[in-house]
Amino acid sequence: MKATSWSRLARQSFVLGASLLVATALCAQAPKPVRIGFIGPFSGPSSDFGIPMLNGAQLAVDEINAAGGYLGRRIELVIKDDTANPDVGLQRTQELMQEGVVATIGFCNTGVAMKSLDLFQNAHVPLIVPCATGTPITAKFPAPESYIFRTSPRDALQAPFVVEDIVSRGWTKVAILADKTGYGEAGMNDVIKALAGYEIKPVYIGRFDIGVKDLRDEVKAAQEAGANVVFSYTVGAEAAVIAKARQALKWNVPQVGAWPLSFPAYINGAKEAAEGSLMAQTFIGEPSNERRVAFLSAYARRYATDRIAVPMAAAQAYDTVYLLSFALLSIRNGDLSGPNVKFALENLKRVYYGVVTTHDQPFSRDDKDAISKNMLVMGVVRNGAVTFAYAADRKKNLIIQRKKTSG
Protein backbone atom coordinates (compact mmCIF):
# COMPACT_ATOMS: atom_id res chain seq x y z
CA MET A 1 0.00 0.00 0.00
CA LYS A 2 1.31 3.47 -0.83
CA ALA A 3 2.34 5.76 2.02
CA THR A 4 -0.61 8.07 1.37
CA SER A 5 -3.15 5.25 1.56
CA TRP A 6 -3.11 5.05 5.34
CA SER A 7 -3.48 8.81 5.58
CA ARG A 8 -6.70 8.60 3.59
CA LEU A 9 -7.98 5.61 5.54
CA ALA A 10 -7.02 6.97 8.95
CA ARG A 11 -8.88 10.21 8.31
CA GLN A 12 -11.92 8.54 6.81
CA SER A 13 -13.91 8.33 10.06
CA PHE A 14 -13.08 11.94 10.86
CA VAL A 15 -14.06 13.10 7.37
CA LEU A 16 -17.35 11.20 7.45
CA GLY A 17 -18.23 12.56 10.89
CA ALA A 18 -17.24 16.07 9.95
CA SER A 19 -19.23 15.93 6.71
CA LEU A 20 -22.38 14.88 8.52
CA LEU A 21 -22.03 17.68 11.03
CA VAL A 22 -21.21 20.27 8.37
CA ALA A 23 -24.38 19.28 6.53
CA THR A 24 -26.46 20.20 9.59
CA ALA A 25 -24.59 23.39 10.42
CA LEU A 26 -26.19 26.78 10.02
CA CYS A 27 -25.29 28.51 6.78
CA ALA A 28 -23.59 31.48 8.40
CA GLN A 29 -21.26 33.86 6.65
CA ALA A 30 -17.60 33.38 7.60
CA PRO A 31 -18.17 31.32 10.75
CA LYS A 32 -15.76 32.04 13.56
CA PRO A 33 -12.91 29.55 13.90
CA VAL A 34 -12.67 27.17 16.83
CA ARG A 35 -9.70 28.51 18.77
CA ILE A 36 -7.37 26.04 20.50
CA GLY A 37 -4.52 27.28 22.65
CA PHE A 38 -1.06 25.94 21.90
CA ILE A 39 1.83 26.66 24.25
CA GLY A 40 5.42 25.45 24.36
CA PRO A 41 9.08 26.43 24.01
CA PHE A 42 9.41 27.61 20.41
CA SER A 43 12.56 29.57 21.18
CA GLY A 44 15.30 29.02 23.72
CA PRO A 45 16.99 25.88 25.06
CA SER A 46 13.98 23.54 24.72
CA SER A 47 12.95 24.56 21.23
CA ASP A 48 14.53 21.41 19.80
CA PHE A 49 11.45 19.51 20.92
CA GLY A 50 9.02 22.42 21.15
CA ILE A 51 9.18 23.10 17.41
CA PRO A 52 8.55 19.46 16.35
CA MET A 53 5.60 19.47 18.79
CA LEU A 54 4.17 22.55 17.05
CA ASN A 55 4.87 21.15 13.58
CA GLY A 56 3.10 17.88 14.34
CA ALA A 57 0.08 19.72 15.70
CA GLN A 58 -0.13 22.11 12.75
CA LEU A 59 0.07 19.20 10.31
CA ALA A 60 -2.97 17.63 11.98
CA VAL A 61 -4.86 20.94 12.05
CA ASP A 62 -4.28 21.42 8.32
CA GLU A 63 -5.63 17.93 7.57
CA ILE A 64 -8.69 18.42 9.77
CA ASN A 65 -9.50 21.79 8.26
CA ALA A 66 -9.21 20.28 4.79
CA ALA A 67 -11.85 17.76 5.88
CA GLY A 68 -14.27 20.45 7.08
CA GLY A 69 -13.08 21.38 10.56
CA TYR A 70 -15.82 21.53 13.20
CA LEU A 71 -19.36 22.23 11.93
CA GLY A 72 -17.81 23.98 8.98
CA ARG A 73 -15.65 26.12 11.27
CA ARG A 74 -11.91 26.08 10.83
CA ILE A 75 -9.70 25.07 13.74
CA GLU A 76 -7.17 27.72 14.64
CA LEU A 77 -4.17 27.36 16.92
CA VAL A 78 -3.52 30.31 19.23
CA ILE A 79 0.23 29.89 19.64
CA LYS A 80 2.19 31.10 22.68
CA ASP A 81 5.93 30.71 23.26
CA ASP A 82 6.79 29.94 26.89
CA THR A 83 10.57 29.88 26.18
CA ALA A 84 10.86 27.00 28.73
CA ASN A 85 10.57 29.59 31.52
CA PRO A 86 7.92 28.96 34.22
CA ASP A 87 7.21 32.66 34.75
CA VAL A 88 6.88 33.30 31.02
CA GLY A 89 4.67 30.23 30.74
CA LEU A 90 2.38 31.56 33.45
CA GLN A 91 2.08 34.91 31.67
CA ARG A 92 1.36 33.23 28.32
CA THR A 93 -1.25 31.02 29.97
CA GLN A 94 -2.95 34.10 31.42
CA GLU A 95 -3.03 35.52 27.89
CA LEU A 96 -4.64 32.32 26.58
CA MET A 97 -7.38 32.60 29.20
CA GLN A 98 -8.32 35.92 27.54
CA GLU A 99 -8.25 34.51 24.00
CA GLY A 100 -11.46 32.48 24.12
CA VAL A 101 -9.83 29.10 23.54
CA VAL A 102 -12.01 26.01 24.02
CA ALA A 103 -9.01 23.94 25.18
CA THR A 104 -5.22 24.14 25.15
CA ILE A 105 -2.54 21.73 23.97
CA GLY A 106 0.96 22.16 25.22
CA PHE A 107 3.95 22.29 27.52
CA CYS A 108 7.23 20.50 27.03
CA ASN A 109 8.80 21.30 30.40
CA THR A 110 7.36 19.89 33.61
CA GLY A 111 8.29 22.90 35.75
CA VAL A 112 6.69 25.28 33.26
CA ALA A 113 3.51 23.21 33.14
CA MET A 114 3.23 22.89 36.92
CA LYS A 115 3.27 26.66 37.43
CA SER A 116 0.29 27.12 35.09
CA LEU A 117 -1.93 24.16 35.97
CA ASP A 118 -4.05 26.05 38.48
CA LEU A 119 -5.11 28.55 35.83
CA PHE A 120 -6.51 25.84 33.57
CA GLN A 121 -8.15 24.00 36.45
CA ASN A 122 -9.75 27.08 37.97
CA ALA A 123 -10.96 28.35 34.59
CA HIS A 124 -12.37 24.90 33.68
CA VAL A 125 -10.41 24.93 30.41
CA PRO A 126 -9.06 21.49 29.42
CA LEU A 127 -5.30 21.20 28.94
CA ILE A 128 -3.83 18.25 27.02
CA VAL A 129 -0.08 17.78 27.50
CA PRO A 130 1.63 16.05 24.54
CA CYS A 131 5.26 16.37 25.69
CA ALA A 132 5.96 17.12 29.36
CA THR A 133 6.29 13.86 31.29
CA GLY A 134 6.68 14.79 34.97
CA THR A 135 4.45 12.48 37.00
CA PRO A 136 2.94 15.30 39.16
CA ILE A 137 1.30 16.99 36.15
CA THR A 138 -1.69 14.66 36.07
CA ALA A 139 -1.54 13.92 39.80
CA LYS A 140 -1.99 17.45 41.16
CA PHE A 141 -5.79 17.35 41.09
CA PRO A 142 -8.16 14.48 41.87
CA ALA A 143 -8.77 12.72 38.55
CA PRO A 144 -12.58 13.07 38.46
CA GLU A 145 -12.35 16.85 38.82
CA SER A 146 -9.15 17.34 36.81
CA TYR A 147 -9.07 19.28 33.56
CA ILE A 148 -5.46 18.18 32.94
CA PHE A 149 -5.00 15.40 30.36
CA ARG A 150 -1.82 13.95 28.88
CA THR A 151 -0.75 12.02 25.76
CA SER A 152 2.95 11.67 26.65
CA PRO A 153 4.33 8.86 28.85
CA ARG A 154 4.58 10.03 32.45
CA ASP A 155 7.89 9.44 34.20
CA ALA A 156 6.22 7.00 36.58
CA LEU A 157 6.03 4.76 33.47
CA GLN A 158 9.36 5.65 31.87
CA ALA A 159 11.55 5.31 34.96
CA PRO A 160 10.42 1.76 35.90
CA PHE A 161 10.59 0.74 32.24
CA VAL A 162 14.23 1.79 31.96
CA VAL A 163 15.08 0.40 35.42
CA GLU A 164 13.64 -2.97 34.43
CA ASP A 165 15.87 -2.96 31.35
CA ILE A 166 19.12 -2.05 33.13
CA VAL A 167 18.51 -4.58 35.91
CA SER A 168 17.99 -7.29 33.27
CA ARG A 169 21.40 -6.33 31.85
CA GLY A 170 23.04 -6.65 35.27
CA TRP A 171 23.59 -2.90 35.73
CA THR A 172 22.52 -2.62 39.34
CA LYS A 173 25.04 -0.13 40.73
CA VAL A 174 23.14 2.93 39.65
CA ALA A 175 24.26 6.55 39.88
CA ILE A 176 21.49 9.14 39.40
CA LEU A 177 22.35 12.59 38.09
CA ALA A 178 19.30 14.86 38.06
CA ASP A 179 18.79 18.56 37.57
CA LYS A 180 17.09 20.73 40.18
CA THR A 181 14.00 21.56 38.11
CA GLY A 182 10.58 20.08 38.81
CA TYR A 183 11.27 17.62 36.01
CA GLY A 184 14.57 16.43 37.47
CA GLU A 185 13.16 16.21 41.00
CA ALA A 186 10.10 14.18 40.01
CA GLY A 187 12.09 11.92 37.67
CA MET A 188 14.75 11.25 40.27
CA ASN A 189 12.07 10.20 42.77
CA ASP A 190 10.49 7.90 40.18
CA VAL A 191 13.85 6.22 39.55
CA ILE A 192 14.52 5.77 43.28
CA LYS A 193 11.07 4.24 43.73
CA ALA A 194 11.55 1.91 40.75
CA LEU A 195 14.95 0.75 42.03
CA ALA A 196 13.46 0.09 45.47
CA GLY A 197 11.17 -2.44 43.84
CA TYR A 198 14.31 -4.50 43.18
CA GLU A 199 15.71 -3.73 46.65
CA ILE A 200 18.38 -1.54 45.04
CA LYS A 201 19.57 1.79 46.37
CA PRO A 202 21.47 4.24 44.17
CA VAL A 203 25.19 4.22 44.90
CA TYR A 204 25.30 7.95 44.23
CA ILE A 205 22.86 10.81 43.66
CA GLY A 206 24.08 14.10 42.21
CA ARG A 207 22.04 17.29 41.66
CA PHE A 208 22.87 20.26 39.50
CA ASP A 209 21.42 23.47 38.07
CA ILE A 210 20.13 23.90 34.54
CA GLY A 211 22.73 25.56 32.35
CA VAL A 212 25.70 23.85 34.02
CA LYS A 213 28.74 23.49 31.73
CA ASP A 214 30.96 21.10 33.71
CA LEU A 215 29.89 18.07 35.75
CA ARG A 216 33.21 16.28 36.06
CA ASP A 217 33.18 16.47 39.86
CA GLU A 218 29.74 14.87 40.08
CA VAL A 219 30.59 12.21 37.49
CA LYS A 220 33.89 11.50 39.24
CA ALA A 221 32.01 11.00 42.51
CA ALA A 222 29.68 8.53 40.78
CA GLN A 223 32.67 6.66 39.40
CA GLU A 224 34.32 6.48 42.82
CA ALA A 225 31.05 5.19 44.29
CA GLY A 226 31.36 2.16 42.02
CA ALA A 227 28.49 2.87 39.66
CA ASN A 228 28.25 0.72 36.54
CA VAL A 229 25.48 2.80 34.91
CA VAL A 230 24.52 6.48 34.96
CA PHE A 231 20.81 7.31 35.01
CA SER A 232 20.43 10.95 33.96
CA TYR A 233 17.22 12.88 34.56
CA THR A 234 17.56 16.22 32.82
CA VAL A 235 17.01 17.87 29.44
CA GLY A 236 19.21 17.23 26.44
CA ALA A 237 21.94 19.87 26.84
CA GLU A 238 22.74 18.99 30.45
CA ALA A 239 22.64 15.27 29.65
CA ALA A 240 25.34 15.97 27.06
CA VAL A 241 27.45 17.65 29.76
CA ILE A 242 27.24 14.40 31.75
CA ALA A 243 28.26 12.33 28.72
CA LYS A 244 31.23 14.57 27.95
CA ALA A 245 32.35 14.35 31.58
CA ARG A 246 32.30 10.55 31.35
CA GLN A 247 34.34 10.78 28.18
CA ALA A 248 36.85 13.18 29.76
CA LEU A 249 37.33 10.78 32.67
CA LYS A 250 37.63 7.82 30.25
CA TRP A 251 34.83 6.18 32.21
CA ASN A 252 33.15 3.83 29.78
CA VAL A 253 29.83 3.07 31.47
CA PRO A 254 26.40 3.33 29.81
CA GLN A 255 24.20 6.39 30.18
CA VAL A 256 20.46 5.73 30.32
CA GLY A 257 17.41 7.86 30.90
CA ALA A 258 14.01 9.02 29.80
CA TRP A 259 13.20 10.43 26.39
CA PRO A 260 15.47 13.55 26.51
CA LEU A 261 18.38 11.27 25.56
CA SER A 262 16.78 11.20 22.10
CA PHE A 263 16.98 14.99 21.73
CA PRO A 264 19.40 16.68 19.30
CA ALA A 265 20.78 18.75 22.18
CA TYR A 266 22.03 15.49 23.71
CA ILE A 267 23.04 13.53 20.61
CA ASN A 268 24.69 16.43 18.81
CA GLY A 269 26.11 17.90 22.00
CA ALA A 270 27.67 14.68 23.27
CA LYS A 271 28.61 13.36 19.81
CA GLU A 272 30.48 10.03 20.12
CA ALA A 273 29.93 10.04 23.90
CA ALA A 274 26.20 9.60 23.22
CA GLU A 275 26.68 6.33 21.31
CA GLY A 276 24.95 3.41 23.00
CA SER A 277 22.79 5.56 25.29
CA LEU A 278 19.44 3.98 26.06
CA MET A 279 16.10 5.70 26.61
CA ALA A 280 12.34 5.06 26.74
CA GLN A 281 10.38 5.90 23.58
CA THR A 282 6.77 5.80 22.38
CA PHE A 283 7.65 6.52 18.76
CA ILE A 284 10.88 6.07 16.82
CA GLY A 285 11.07 7.90 13.52
CA GLU A 286 11.31 4.83 11.32
CA PRO A 287 8.67 3.54 8.86
CA SER A 288 7.71 0.54 11.00
CA ASN A 289 4.09 0.37 9.82
CA GLU A 290 1.72 2.05 7.35
CA ARG A 291 0.48 4.72 9.74
CA ARG A 292 3.98 5.85 10.55
CA VAL A 293 5.06 5.75 6.92
CA ALA A 294 2.20 8.10 6.06
CA PHE A 295 2.91 10.45 8.95
CA LEU A 296 6.64 10.61 8.26
CA SER A 297 5.98 11.22 4.56
CA ALA A 298 3.44 13.97 5.26
CA TYR A 299 5.76 15.65 7.76
CA ALA A 300 8.68 15.50 5.31
CA ARG A 301 6.60 17.10 2.56
CA ARG A 302 5.09 19.77 4.79
CA TYR A 303 8.37 20.86 6.40
CA ALA A 304 10.86 19.93 3.67
CA THR A 305 12.95 17.68 5.90
CA ASP A 306 13.86 14.01 5.87
CA ARG A 307 14.42 13.89 9.63
CA ILE A 308 12.28 15.01 12.57
CA ALA A 309 14.39 16.47 15.36
CA VAL A 310 12.32 14.77 18.09
CA PRO A 311 9.87 12.31 16.50
CA MET A 312 8.04 11.57 19.77
CA ALA A 313 7.13 15.23 20.24
CA ALA A 314 5.79 15.58 16.70
CA ALA A 315 3.83 12.32 16.68
CA GLN A 316 2.29 12.78 20.12
CA ALA A 317 1.18 16.33 19.29
CA TYR A 318 -0.27 15.19 15.94
CA ASP A 319 -2.31 12.49 17.68
CA THR A 320 -3.38 14.93 20.40
CA VAL A 321 -4.94 17.33 17.90
CA TYR A 322 -6.94 14.48 16.39
CA LEU A 323 -8.11 13.25 19.80
CA LEU A 324 -9.30 16.72 20.74
CA SER A 325 -11.00 17.10 17.37
CA PHE A 326 -12.79 13.77 17.80
CA ALA A 327 -13.98 14.98 21.21
CA LEU A 328 -15.25 18.26 19.74
CA LEU A 329 -17.10 16.42 16.95
CA SER A 330 -19.01 14.46 19.59
CA ILE A 331 -20.46 17.74 20.90
CA ARG A 332 -23.26 18.11 18.38
CA ASN A 333 -25.02 21.14 19.84
CA GLY A 334 -22.02 23.44 19.34
CA ASP A 335 -21.59 24.13 23.07
CA LEU A 336 -17.81 23.97 23.46
CA SER A 337 -17.72 25.05 27.08
CA GLY A 338 -14.90 23.64 29.22
CA PRO A 339 -17.03 21.11 31.13
CA ASN A 340 -18.52 19.82 27.87
CA VAL A 341 -15.09 19.38 26.27
CA LYS A 342 -13.78 17.68 29.42
CA PHE A 343 -16.72 15.25 29.39
CA ALA A 344 -16.22 14.56 25.68
CA LEU A 345 -12.53 13.75 26.18
CA GLU A 346 -13.39 11.40 29.04
CA ASN A 347 -16.04 9.62 26.97
CA LEU A 348 -14.62 9.27 23.47
CA LYS A 349 -16.69 6.65 21.68
CA ARG A 350 -14.83 6.55 18.37
CA VAL A 351 -11.47 4.84 18.02
CA TYR A 352 -8.66 7.01 16.69
CA TYR A 353 -6.09 5.04 14.73
CA GLY A 354 -3.10 7.18 15.60
CA VAL A 355 0.58 7.32 14.83
CA VAL A 356 1.86 6.55 18.33
CA THR A 357 -0.89 4.10 19.16
CA THR A 358 -4.51 3.16 18.58
CA HIS A 359 -6.43 5.36 21.00
CA ASP A 360 -9.47 3.44 22.18
CA GLN A 361 -10.98 5.33 25.15
CA PRO A 362 -7.65 6.98 26.03
CA PHE A 363 -9.13 8.97 28.91
CA SER A 364 -11.82 8.45 31.49
CA ARG A 365 -13.26 10.23 34.48
CA ASP A 366 -10.65 8.54 36.66
CA ASP A 367 -7.67 8.38 34.29
CA LYS A 368 -6.20 11.38 32.48
CA ASP A 369 -3.08 9.64 31.04
CA ALA A 370 -3.48 8.15 27.56
CA ILE A 371 -0.18 6.22 27.42
CA SER A 372 0.36 2.87 29.12
CA LYS A 373 3.57 0.91 29.67
CA ASN A 374 2.94 -1.59 26.87
CA MET A 375 3.31 1.28 24.35
CA LEU A 376 6.95 1.92 25.34
CA VAL A 377 10.02 0.57 23.59
CA MET A 378 13.72 1.01 24.32
CA GLY A 379 15.59 3.30 21.98
CA VAL A 380 19.36 3.41 21.54
CA VAL A 381 21.69 5.98 19.98
CA ARG A 382 23.53 4.44 17.04
CA ASN A 383 25.55 6.43 14.54
CA GLY A 384 24.09 9.67 15.81
CA ALA A 385 20.43 8.63 15.50
CA VAL A 386 17.86 6.84 17.64
CA THR A 387 16.77 3.36 16.61
CA PHE A 388 15.31 0.30 18.31
CA ALA A 389 17.49 -1.20 21.02
CA TYR A 390 16.00 -4.66 20.52
CA ALA A 391 14.91 -6.57 17.44
CA ALA A 392 11.88 -7.74 19.44
CA ASP A 393 10.78 -4.13 19.91
CA ARG A 394 11.12 -3.46 16.21
CA LYS A 395 8.87 -6.46 15.53
CA LYS A 396 6.44 -5.46 18.30
CA ASN A 397 6.21 -1.99 16.79
CA LEU A 398 4.64 -3.40 13.64
CA ILE A 399 1.51 -3.94 15.72
CA ILE A 400 -0.03 -0.83 17.28
CA GLN A 401 -0.47 -1.28 21.02
CA ARG A 402 -3.73 -0.34 22.70
CA LYS A 403 -3.99 1.08 26.18
CA LYS A 404 -3.82 -1.31 29.11
CA THR A 405 -5.34 0.17 32.24
CA SER A 406 -2.98 -1.86 34.45
CA GLY A 407 -0.12 0.40 33.37
Side-chain angles (χ1 to χ4, degrees):
M1 182 179 289
K2 294 181 180 179
T4 55
S5 298
W6 171 80
S7 191
R8 289 194 296 270
L9 291 172
R11 296 199 300 271
Q12 185 177 26
S13 60
F14 179 87
V15 172
L16 289 173
S19 298
L20 289 172
L21 289 175
V22 169
T24 63
L26 295 176
C27 298
Q29 290 289 332
K32 292 182 179 179
V34 176
R35 309 192 84 203
I36 296 172
F38 200 88
I39 186 168
F42 311 127
S43 64
S46 293
S47 61
D48 60 347
F49 60 119
I51 291 174
M53 177 182 76
L54 175 58
N55 288 348
Q58 191 62 62
L59 180 62
V61 167
D62 291 346
E63 292 175 354
I64 291 165
N65 282 335
Y70 170 77
L71 289 174
R73 297 165 62 187
R74 290 179 59 79
I75 292 174
E76 175 184 286
L77 294 182
V78 181
I79 300 168
K80 301 290 182 180
D81 183 2
D82 64 33
T83 73
N85 182 302
D87 292 327
V88 174
L90 181 62
Q91 181 180 350
R92 298 295 175 262
T93 298
Q94 290 168 337
E95 293 170 4
L96 281 174
M97 295 298 103
Q98 306 301 317
E99 293 275 3
V101 298
V102 301
T104 291
I105 296 170
F107 294 113
C108 286
N109 306 88
T110 296
V112 181
M114 292 299 295
K115 191 153 189 175
S116 293
L117 293 187
D118 285 346
L119 289 180
F120 292 100
Q121 185 70 17
N122 294 338
H124 291 177
V125 174
L127 167 70
I128 313 178
V129 180
C131 278
T133 58
T135 301
I137 289 174
T138 46
K140 182 170 184 179
F141 307 110
E145 290 81 39
S146 180
Y147 279 75
I148 313 303
F149 299 78
R150 176 161 45 192
T151 54
S152 58
R154 66 192 184 277
D155 289 320
L157 289 181
Q158 291 192 66
F161 184 75
V162 177
V163 165
E164 180 181 356
D165 184 72
I166 63 175
V167 169
S168 72
R169 294 169 180 259
W171 302 337
T172 56
K173 296 179 180 179
V174 183
I176 303 174
L177 292 174
D179 67 44
K180 295 178 182 178
T181 66
Y183 172 72
E185 179 78 19
M188 177 192 71
N189 289 332
D190 285 328
V191 175
I192 292 171
K193 182 178 179 181
L195 289 171
Y198 294 91
E199 298 184 347
I200 297 171
K201 290 184 178 181
V203 298
Y204 175 80
I205 297 176
R207 306 299 304 279
F208 53 88
D209 294 317
I210 286 291
V212 66
K213 303 299 182 185
D214 188 347
L215 286 169
R216 279 176 292 183
D217 288 345
E218 289 80 359
V219 172
K220 179 66 173 176
Q223 182 184 31
E224 292 176 346
N228 60 7
V229 62
V230 173
F231 204 128
S232 58
Y233 240 101
T234 186
V235 291
E238 285 70 24
V241 174
I242 295 170
K244 287 188 286 188
R246 289 191 296 104
Q247 185 180 51
L249 293 169
K250 295 181 170 54
W251 188 33
N252 188 26
V253 296
Q255 185 166 332
V256 304
W259 74 305
L261 293 190
S262 68
F263 293 3
Y266 175 65
I267 297 173
N268 298 337
K271 295 184 172 60
E272 63 272 11
E275 286 294 306
S277 297
L278 295 159
M279 79 295 296
Q281 297 276 275
T282 60
F283 174 73
I284 289 174
E286 298 181 9
S288 53
N289 59 46
E290 290 177 277
R291 303 179 194 178
R292 291 165 183 157
V293 168
F295 169 72
L296 292 169
S297 298
Y299 191 102
R301 288 192 304 271
R302 176 71 166 77
Y303 300 107
T305 180
D306 58 359
R307 185 171 179 177
I308 305 175
V310 181
M312 268 181 65
Q316 288 168 180
Y318 177 91
D319 283 350
T320 300
V321 170
Y322 267 102
L323 286 174
L324 177 56
S325 298
F326 273 41
L328 296 180
L329 280 172
S330 72
I331 303 173
R332 295 178 176 267
N333 63 0
D335 180 0
L336 303 184
S337 62
N340 275 0
V341 176
K342 173 181 181 291
F343 181 84
L345 285 166
E346 293 169 346
N347 295 275
L348 282 171
K349 302 302 182 185
R350 296 162 61 192
V351 176
Y352 166 57
Y353 298 97
V355 176
V356 171
T357 188
T358 292
H359 285 289
D360 185 359
Q361 297 182 324
F363 308 115
S364 71
R365 179 177 178 271
D366 299 311
D367 185 0
K368 299 301 191 289
D369 279 288
I371 302 297
S372 55
K373 180 183 175 182
N374 63 304
M375 299 172 189
L376 298 179
V377 296
M378 287 299 296
V380 61
V381 179
R382 288 188 185 139
N383 300 317
V386 175
T387 187
F388 294 95
Y390 297 109
D393 277 348
R394 188 185 299 275
K395 184 176 180 180
K396 165 187 167 183
N397 223 41
L398 295 171
I399 302 172
I400 299 291
Q401 303 294 313
R402 297 193 182 210
K403 183 174 179 178
K404 292 183 178 179
T405 55
S406 61

